[in-house]
Amino acid sequence: MEFCDECGSMMKTEGDHWVCGSCGHEQGRDSEKEEEMVTTEGQEHSEVVDISGAEEKGLPRTTAHCPKCDNDRAYYYMQQIRAADESETRFFICTECEHKWREDDN
């Protein structure tokens, strides 16, 4: 990823140049430098969370309505699953049926 030297915006590749979508500034591409860049292409987004034994793991409990069994208590934990500048996602695990759901701040 390249950022524009003129305005600081993120640049896009167009052929053998980087082009700023905001101000139109162009600069040549450097293949050696680009090989060192980390991309998200081919990365799979998967999440494996073991919810068995939530009580033994010391997860805190709160009042939350389970959409599956209508229980009003759940364990919860917070996890960053989106960009770092966005809020964490709160996950709930029902204390009765172990149904898992999440709550995002919108």
Side-chain angles (χ1 to χ4, degrees):
M1 181 181 311
E2 285 288 324
F3 293 93
C4 180
D5 292 333
E6 301 295 318
C7 71
S9 296
M10 189 167 54
M11 300 180 81
K12 298 179 273 184
T13 57
E14 288 186 11
D16 60 349
H17 284 81
W18 287 97
V19 179
C20 177
S22 297
C23 71
H25 174 72
E26 293 187 22
Q27 66 187 43
R29 292 176 66 180
D30 181 351
S31 59
E32 289 179 20
K33 185 177 175 184
E34 289 179 31
E35 285 180 18
E36 296 173 8
M37 292 181 184
V38 177
T39 68
T40 58
E41 288 181 22
Q43 293 180 0
E44 293 183 22
H45 209 104
S46 63
E47 175 187 345
V48 177
V49 177
D50 180 13
I51 63 171
S52 62
E55 186 172 15
E56 292 85 33
K57 291 180 182 177
L59 292 179
R61 283 185 280 192
T62 188
T63 302
H65 178 77
C66 175
K68 187 174 180 183
C69 74
D70 292 327
N71 182 32
D72 64 349
R73 298 290 291 165
Y75 301 105
Y76 73 95
Y77 63 95
M78 307 283 278
Q79 187 171 355
Q80 188 73 39
I81 61 171
R82 297 176 288 176
D85 64 342
E86 296 185 40
S87 62
E88 293 179 311
T89 300
R90 185 177 313 144
F91 289 89
F92 295 96
I93 306 164
C94 178
T95 58
E96 291 294 319
C97 70
E98 293 193 354
H99 174 68
K100 181 179 174 185
W101 71 99
R102 70 188 217 181
E103 175 184 85
D104 293 314
D105 290 340
N106 292 330

